[in-house]
Amino acid sequence: MKIELQEIAIREVAKNYINNEEEWVVWFDWKLNIRPKYQREFVYKDSQRNSVIETIKKNFPLNVMYRVKNTDWTFEVLDWQQRTISICEYINWNFSLTNNENQVQYFHNLQENEKNQILDYKLMIYICEWNDKEKLDWFKTINIAWEKLTEQELRNAIYTWPWLTDAKRHFSKTSCPAYNLASDYMTGSPIRQDYLQTAISWISNDNIEEYMARNQWSENANELWQYFQNVINWIKITFPNYRKEMKWVNFWKLYNEFKNTYFDSSKLEEEIKKLMQDEDVTKKSWIYEYILTRNEKYLSIRAFSPNQKRESYEKQNWICIHCKNYFELNEMEADHITPWHEWWKTTIDNCQMLCKNCNRVKSGK
Ligand SMILES: [Zn+2]
């Protein structure tokens, strides 16, 4: 990896600056391109923007910037996006400052020597020849000193377009299609890229970076959007009665496993309702996993209490029900006489004490 420090005058950087708000920004005589989507969605505050220009006017030093040199002749801005845009916007007369006498001043209102002072101001820029992996490492490291970006915002900074442009249309705005379709089943915020992250983790089995790297040059994100809709529609068809616990269910794993299995949704609902009311079931959001997989570990069923164990132990005269040998209480384990999934009771009349060995044999462990 190669890094080189250069001094570049603002007049060079701002040459041929074009800002097409939605899609991209170019400048530096077309050699530099960045996209608004490259970093955060929100906009730099006026006060921050103005202070960048004030700093330049006073000839105070600005922080060093980083850029990545692409394999072709273009560069990418790694940090500092909003600040460099502020500079170019000011020079292109797109906003004004207020001077000490409260007069509005655009760049074109300045004296010739004042203009030149700004145009000759030199930015210190590190030009980095890095691959995607190195860029991501850099972002993650420097991020500690910055405003905190989420994991997915960091990934968006690396694996960019054109795929990401399209993906963000579906997943990254306040009232984006994904939000309208699925907010009942999702946690987090579209703006902070939580929806996009969730969708990619679903389709990629949690290999998010690999998926983004593989797809970044795809023309659109139709595959992702289609998959996401399939999962949500499957949830709505399989479990038509909504409960707020559904936000925390790993539905995409269930979808992948059971999408081709037919379920009678009214029978499922009947059973869910019963389990929701069962005080032995301590983790309600896992009922959905249980109802399809029939794996009891999802129910986190309440264990027999120490008192129930002691009472059963006395009742069976201190011997193991299966092997009929004598054991101390602490050498034994409580077992459901009728399996929990058949009777749904963790009560004393469904409790028996087995020695550890017999319990292991019975439960097939
Ligand atoms: Zn035994």
Side-chain angles (χ1 to χ4, degrees), residues 93-150:
W93 310 356
N94 290 335
F95 71 91
S96 62
L97 297 180
T98 312
N99 71 5
N100 295 336
E101 285 93 49
N102 247 343
Q103 293 166 320
V104 173
Q105 270 193 329
Y106 282 92
F107 182 73
H108 62 90
N109 301 133
L110 299 176
Q111 302 295 320
E112 214 50 39
N113 64 331
E114 290 173 315
K115 284 187 194 169
N116 282 328
Q117 184 265 321
I118 291 172
L119 292 172
D120 292 336
Y121 183 97
K122 290 207 168 58
L123 300 170
M124 302 290 283
I125 302 175
Y126 279 111
I127 308 289
C128 313
E129 290 183 34
W130 289 345
N131 60 29
D132 285 350
K133 173 110 188 28
E134 290 165 336
K135 275 194 264 179
L136 194 57
D137 277 353
W138 179 86
F139 262 107
K140 280 184 172 160
T141 310
I142 205 84
N143 191 32
I144 296 159
W146 272 359
E147 292 173 279
K148 219 58 187 126
L149 300 184
T150 65

Side-chain angles (χ1 to χ4, degrees), residues 186-214:
M186 310 285 288
T187 56
S189 125
I191 298 280
R192 295 308 300 270
Q193 310 306 321
D194 297 320
Y195 278 46
L196 182 61
Q197 173 172 279
T198 302
I200 303 172
S201 85
W202 287 0
I203 198 171
S204 66
N205 201 7
D206 224 13
N207 296 309
I208 300 179
E209 276 153 37
E210 190 271 331
Y211 185 85
M212 291 183 77
R214 187 155 40 82

Side-chain angles (χ1 to χ4, degrees), residues 320-325 327 354-355 357-358:
C320 167
I321 294 288
H322 275 208
C323 63
K324 310 291 182 197
N325 290 317
F327 290 93
L354 301 178
C355 74
N357 191 44
C358 288

Side-chain angles (χ1 to χ4, degrees), residues 75-106:
F75 295 86
E76 291 175 38
V77 175
L78 273 187
D79 66 343
W80 256 71
Q81 170 174 299
Q82 297 295 347
R83 275 172 263 195
T84 40
I85 288 177
S86 299
I87 295 168
C88 293
E89 290 278 298
Y90 181 68
I91 287 169
N92 284 277
W93 310 356
N94 290 335
F95 71 91
S96 62
L97 297 180
T98 312
N99 71 5
N100 295 336
E101 285 93 49
N102 247 343
Q103 293 166 320
V104 173
Q105 270 193 329
Y106 282 92

